[in-house]
Amino acid sequence: MVTTSVPEAYRECERITRERARNFSYGIRLLPGPKRRALSAVYAFARRVDDIGDGDLPATEKLRLLAEARTALHHASPRSGDPVLVALADAESRLALPMSAFDELIDGCEADVRGTKYLTFDDLRHYCRCVAGSIGRLSLAVFGTADRAVAERRADSLGVALQLTNILRDVREDHGNGRVYLPAEDLQRFGVHLVPGEPGPVASDADGLARLVRFEVGRAEQWYREGFALLPMLDRRSRACCASMSGIYHEVLQAIAAQPSRALRRRTSLPAWRKAGVAARSLAGMAP
């Protein structure tokens, strides 16, 4: 087995983060070196899991690869040949990362592969906590805080807010890939027809879709309010990192709210200069 040194492993994780992270990288660069490297390792493994779930392989093969990733995670060590696992093992030993959170992330990805449907918001909230709240808890272990129990609840709420933003941002792309995350009870309430494998809403559904999006935006804003209470519990650089990442997503949500009927026509995103502005304000203590 070819071994990888810990410094080499972290450099590879940072490369993956630079090249693959869109919004995440704006915040992570604000951290001091040791925390930045550890969070890069978290991102690199999460990216690996997401890539399996979003790939083109048959569902059975995806599930097999996810099971292998789960097993490899729990056998990660500094002697692994895999740089991501080497970096994670080192980060866990230094920061007591809650590695079981990765199991929740994989659970959520498996739900995607199986085509799980969400009938109620409670169903969707569980999924959000798996795929985003898990990363929040891992990030919190890197940041550090005096009151871990309270901070974890707030990090979990922020994760739900971020994932709801993702769902609204990607509703068109997800529907095209055969996935619908918006709860069936909400679709029915607003008279929106959105079913995997079937055409999306027609022009006559535009008003209902706009009202649905505004409703979901309001729901996400409630979770942001709870989640942003985490920021004062973090040290300055960690607070800047968290504020930058969450602030970018919050601005995406606000852009969606400004033009809700566009949700199924195009993916809402921010230009790089605007993301950089959020990061700069976060470092100065002015955001979100």
Side-chain angles (χ1 to χ4, degrees):
M1 177 185 296
V2 178
T3 58
T4 302
S5 70
V6 170
E8 289 173 330
Y10 278 124
R11 282 195 292 271
E12 174 62 10
C13 291
E14 290 190 282
R15 181 195 66 78
I16 293 170
T17 303
R18 282 195 308 272
E19 294 181 1
R20 301 296 306 281
R22 295 178 180 176
N23 299 327
F24 196 84
S25 61
Y26 284 89
I28 199 171
R29 69 184 66 175
L30 302 178
L31 290 171
K35 291 184 178 182
R36 185 181 68 248
R37 289 188 286 273
L39 205 52
S40 292
V42 169
Y43 174 83
F45 188 81
R47 179 76 266 164
R48 176 176 297 179
V49 171
D50 285 346
D51 284 347
I52 294 171
D54 293 337
D56 297 326
L57 294 172
T60 53
E61 182 67 7
K62 289 182 181 181
L63 292 173
R64 184 187 67 80
L65 292 174
L66 289 171
E68 286 185 358
R70 193 190 297 268
T71 299
L73 171 73
H74 292 294
H75 291 86
S77 78
R79 294 179 297 279
S80 302
D82 186 323
V84 174
L85 297 179
V86 170
L88 269 183
D90 182 76
E92 180 189 18
S93 68
R94 291 187 298 104
L95 299 169
L97 295 181
M99 301 296 275
S100 60
F102 281 118
D103 286 302
E104 295 178 67
L105 175 66
I106 295 172
D107 289 344
C109 192
E110 288 176 341
D112 285 342
V113 173
R114 294 189 174 101
T116 301
K117 297 178 176 61
Y118 303 98
L119 302 180
T120 69
F121 178 69
D122 282 344
D123 296 335
L124 181 62
R125 180 174 56 188
H126 174 74
Y127 169 79
C128 291
R129 284 176 165 157
C130 283
V131 298
S134 57
I135 301 302
R137 292 188 291 278
L138 285 157
S139 298
L140 185 61
V142 174
F143 297 151
T145 185
D147 191 338
R148 185 70 171 265
V150 172
E152 282 192 351
R153 290 196 296 273
R154 294 175 179 178
D156 195 64
S157 294
L158 192 55
V160 172
L162 299 179
Q163 191 59 31
L164 288 175
T165 303
N166 264 339
I167 288 168
L168 291 172
R169 181 195 65 185
D170 297 339
V171 63
R172 175 187 174 90
E173 180 180 341
D174 289 334
H175 180 251
N177 291 328
R179 298 175 184 170
V180 173
Y181 293 98
L182 294 173
E185 64 179 5
D186 294 348
L187 294 169
Q188 182 178 9
R189 175 180 177 182
F190 292 99
V192 176
H193 182 82
L194 196 62
V195 177
E198 296 184 14
V202 296
S204 60
D205 296 324
D207 182 62
L209 177 62
R211 288 187 292 114
L212 169 63
V213 171
R214 284 194 290 266
F215 174 78
E216 302 296 354
V217 166
R219 173 178 274 160
E221 287 284 11
Q222 292 177 344
W223 288 97
Y224 273 113
R225 282 193 289 273
E226 294 180 25
F228 283 150
L230 170 66
L231 297 178
M233 303 182 71
L234 306 177
D235 66 74
R236 178 176 176 269
R237 295 282 289 275
S238 297
R239 183 168 61 250
C241 173
C242 186
S244 176
M245 291 186 290
S246 57
I248 288 170
Y249 275 90
H250 191 230
E251 289 211 11
V252 169
L253 184 72
Q254 292 175 326
I256 292 170
Q259 293 184 291
S261 61
R262 200 171 64 172
L264 265 179
R265 296 202 305 271
R266 67 183 68 176
R267 186 177 193 266
T268 302
S269 61
L270 302 180
W273 64 264
R274 193 168 170 185
K275 295 178 182 179
V278 174
R281 294 196 302 274
S282 299
L283 189 58
M286 297 166 57

